[in-house]
Amino acid sequence: MTDKETIDTVGLSRRTLLAGLGAVGVASAGAGLGTTAYFNDTETFEDNTLTAGQLDLLVDWQQTYDFGEGHRFVSAHPDHDGDGEQSVEIDGEVFTYSDFPDVDDEDSNGANIPVLDCETIPPLSAADFGTDPVTGEEMETLVQFSDVKPGDSGEITFSLHLCDNPGYIWMQAGNVTEDGGAFTEPESLVDADNAADLADAIETTLWYDEDCDNVYDGADPVDIMLTLDFSGSMLYDQYGGLVTADPIQVNGTTYPETTKIDLVELGTRQFVDYLQSQNADVQVGVAYFDGEGSDDTEPRTGIVQPLTSDLSAVDSALSGLRQKLANVVSGGAGSTPFDGDGDPDPFSNANGIATGTYIGEGVDDAQDELAANGRPAADKRNIVLSDGESFNGTGSTQFSSPTGAADDARAASPTPATDVYAINVDGSAGTLQAMAGPAGGAGGDPAFFNDVDDPLNIPTVFGNLAAQTAQEKVIMADTLGNVLDALADGTGVPLDGNRATPHDELGDAPDDATRDPFRGDGVMHCVALSWELPFDVGNEVQGDTLGFDLGFYTEQARHNDGSGPEQAA
């Protein structure tokens, strides 16, 4: 029996999967969401326990509808008070989606609910599909509008959380039905056959909603500093720098083992390459921080690459990070990334390396660069990666507070106000999480924090951050009929777990090397579907109905190549 034959798939059906648009507006289809558990059992022995791995896909959503009076919240999951706006109560505190400013909610700030994860998303059985805002009728399915008129529009953002194991995810459709419906006299004058025209009349966009805000975002100009940990624990086996004994190829060089700094090089160069491929309006610079040796009088921090729009120069600066880190850490007093006096062998004796982790000073250096060379009209972003807490080295200086440095970075004064993104690589997350937050806002914002338990996921994190920097990726913009055809064809549309890779969801094979699985750590990924019935649609759609199911299918990455099941789920 093959691995695929053992998958207990949950098929598309009106009873178990999400519903679709329809009825000159939008008619009903089925409800629910499907997940696939590749492993789903626990085997227990006396004094020993074998626990099979799990694959659990959790989905939440926010739906809006505009019938001429502005966007309104229609339905969401979770929705603790049933008002159509996504919300959840955790330990007595209510968190609200507020994906666009709400005049009736003074706390609405355009942010999603980043606290939703594998532990806090309620079961789908608790979902409330809300009421049709036009008719007031209770909706039994996800989308069930019965009086849509030309000019109406709507949108759903699905938030996907893959828990426990990495896996591939497909978006699928099924049970597509169309009907000409009631044949009114105005329609008969333009549509003698009473054809079902609604699917071809509705304009639809399917895209990755990177910030999960129910709105397609283009690219704004942004200046970015990559502030990277160059401490010994990122390279040397003696201090935990070795990730795996498997070889890795970096910039044409194959190393017999994989270290944290190798994965940082892969991730940051992928980050830069993606922005370059998208012609993003960005400047990028690179800062570093280590600690200090006993002969140092100041922390070993600085700039590897000043801010520049020449992304090829940034790519070059990010090459050979093993050697550049070694130059800083194992070189003599005052060593820089460029002096060539370090030993990059991860198994070398690292007893004499510089110690300490001066995160705060690294953030300050990056902010000084943004202040000196940033563009006045550009947003500012500081992406800080570290695998530990700040602490003093063996020299004579005292480190500054990393949370204090991040507070200054986010604040309007001293300028510039900067979004601080933090990436914790299998270290102590508390400090880095406290640093993370938006320009002008507080720290501790989970939307700006990435906690990476497995360093092998570092490239994916940088890929997702790159996708948030450039304009959001459109999977397909076409009529709803054509989008449904793509979703219903074969195994559906294969989604990409790392949008910074050049994968074409519609043109490339699902098992193409450019498609990445989704990490199995519950990180939020959002896919959005917007629709509009244009004003210029004529009477030919009167009374037409359209129904379909939407669903998501997943299978674990291990032992599978991403080609998908032999039959559509």
Side-chain angles (χ1 to χ4, degrees):
M1 180 175 291
T2 66
D3 287 327
K4 291 175 183 175
E5 288 172 333
T6 67
I7 299 172
D8 180 19
T9 57
V10 180
L12 287 169
S13 72
R14 295 182 181 276
R15 186 174 60 84
T16 59
L17 287 185
L18 284 181
L21 306 170
V24 101
V26 190
S28 65
L33 281 170
T35 67
T36 297
Y38 194 93
F39 291 130
N40 57 13
D41 196 12
T42 299
E43 305 291 346
T44 304
F45 300 85
E46 185 177 351
D47 297 327
N48 296 278
T49 301
L50 295 179
T51 303
Q54 299 182 59
L55 189 67
D56 190 10
L57 177 62
L58 300 180
V59 181
D60 56 86
W61 69 83
Q62 175 68 68
Q63 180 180 191
T64 64
Y65 180 36
D66 184 354
F67 53 94
E69 299 183 7
H71 284 284
R72 293 194 178 188
F73 297 114
V74 176
S75 72
H77 179 66
D79 182 5
H80 89 291
D81 56 4
D83 66 352
E85 181 176 5
Q86 190 181 73
S87 58
V88 63
E89 184 174 358
I90 302 174
D91 297 330
E93 183 177 1
V94 174
F95 299 86
T96 304
Y97 195 94
S98 297
D99 66 326
F100 50 79
D102 183 351
V103 295
D104 297 323
D105 181 3
E106 62 181 14
D107 296 323
S108 175
N109 59 4
N112 65 339
I113 305 182
V115 297
L116 288 178
D117 56 26
C118 295
E119 302 298 324
T120 57
I121 298 174
L124 195 63
S125 59
D128 182 350
F129 293 113
T131 58
D132 184 326
V134 177
T135 66
E137 296 177 358
E138 184 176 348
M139 300 201 302
E140 298 179 356
T141 61
L142 180 66
V143 186
Q144 188 181 327
F145 302 137
S146 57
D147 189 28
V148 171
K149 301 292 195 298
D152 287 5
S153 62
E155 195 272 350
I156 311 171
T157 287
F158 299 100
S159 175
L160 311 177
H161 308 252
L162 190 59
C163 308
D164 300 309
N165 274 305
Y168 296 99
I169 299 177
W170 286 257
M171 187 173 183
Q172 301 175 324
N175 293 329
V176 179
T177 59
E178 298 183 79
D179 190 277
F183 198 33
T184 62
E185 185 250 340
E187 184 181 12
S188 67
L189 297 176
V190 294
D191 185 8
D193 297 328
N194 194 25
D197 303 301
L198 187 59
D200 291 333
I202 293 177
E203 297 176 354
T204 306
T205 301
L206 178 67
W207 81 98
Y208 293 104
D209 188 6
E210 298 293 348
D211 55 0
C212 304
D213 67 350
N214 285 76
V215 177
Y216 174 76
D217 297 316
D220 294 324
V222 58
D223 294 333
I224 306 166
M225 288 299 296
L226 302 173
T227 305
L228 307 178
D229 191 335
F230 268 25
S231 61
S233 58
M234 296 292 293
L235 172 62
Y236 294 104
D237 180 50
Q238 184 174 339
Y239 295 99
L242 187 69
V243 176
T244 173
D246 295 333
I248 187 172
Q249 186 175 71
V250 184
N251 195 27
T253 300
T254 299
Y255 297 109
E257 67 287 309
T258 301
T259 69
K260 294 176 185 175
I261 198 63
D262 298 329
L263 295 162
V264 170
E265 180 171 338
L266 285 179
T268 54
R269 295 185 68 200
Q270 185 182 79
F271 177 93
V272 171
D273 289 348
Y274 179 75
L275 296 181
Q276 191 167 30
S277 72
Q278 298 299 304
N279 295 313
D281 185 3
V282 297
Q283 289 192 132
V284 180
V286 184
Y288 72 92
F289 57 88
D290 176 34
E292 61 181 0
S294 58
D295 296 329
D296 290 328
T297 57
E298 60 183 21
R300 298 185 181 188
T301 67
I303 302 296
V304 178
Q305 172 62 56
L307 277 171
T308 179
S309 59
D310 182 357
L311 298 187
S312 295
V314 181
D315 185 71
S316 296
L318 290 167
S319 66
L321 290 189
R322 268 199 189 197
Q323 183 65 60
K324 288 172 180 172
L325 182 152
N327 294 340
V328 171
V329 173
S330 62
S335 290
T336 72
F338 310 104
D339 53 22
D341 61 350
D343 185 351
D345 180 1
F347 298 104
S348 62
N349 186 339
N351 286 334
I353 68 171
T355 57
T357 310
Y358 284 75
I359 301 176
E361 282 78 4
V363 171
D364 287 340
D365 286 352
Q367 290 304 121
D368 289 344
E369 180 63 22
L370 287 168
N373 296 315
R375 297 168 295 174
D379 295 335
K380 305 298 186 294
R381 186 169 301 174
N382 193 346
I383 300 174
V384 185
L385 178 144
S386 181
D387 70 342
E389 297 276 5
S390 279
F391 67 97
N392 266 58
T394 57
S396 59
T397 62
Q398 295 291 313
F399 71 90
S400 64
S401 164
T403 52
D407 288 346
D408 287 344
R410 297 191 311 273
S413 178
T415 57
T418 303
D419 294 330
V420 177
Y421 288 81
I423 305 172
N424 173 61
V425 182
D426 195 25
S428 299
T431 296
L432 288 161
Q433 184 169 10
M435 294 168 59
D445 190 327
F448 291 78
F449 176 65
N450 287 272
D451 194 12
V452 183
D453 292 333
D454 184 350
L456 292 173
N457 287 324
I458 291 173
T460 302
V461 171
F462 277 105
N464 293 339
L465 290 174
Q468 293 177 33
T469 302
Q471 64 183 11
E472 293 177 334
K473 181 180 180 181
V474 173
I475 300 171
M476 190 173 184
D478 209 320
T479 66
L480 180 55
N482 287 339
V483 170
L484 288 175
D485 285 345
L487 292 172
D489 183 35
T491 57
V493 173
L495 302 179
D496 189 6
N498 182 358
R499 270 75 69 193
T501 54
H503 181 68
D504 182 348
E505 285 78 0
L506 302 178
D508 293 338
D511 58 350
D512 191 278
T514 58
R515 181 190 180 204
D516 291 301
F518 288 75
R519 295 159 50 191
D521 53 6
V523 169
M524 181 184 297
H525 297 263
C526 289
V527 179
L529 180 74
S530 66
W531 61 272
E532 179 180 10
L533 188 63
F535 277 109
D536 58 4
V537 170
N539 285 328
E540 66 269 16
V541 301
Q542 283 200 40
D544 289 8
T545 63
L546 169 66
F548 58 87
D549 295 334
L550 289 177
F552 297 91
Y553 166 78
T554 182
E555 67 181 24
Q556 73 165 26
R558 191 169 61 178
H559 304 313
N560 290 292
D561 59 8
S563 57
E566 295 180 3
Q567 301 294 326

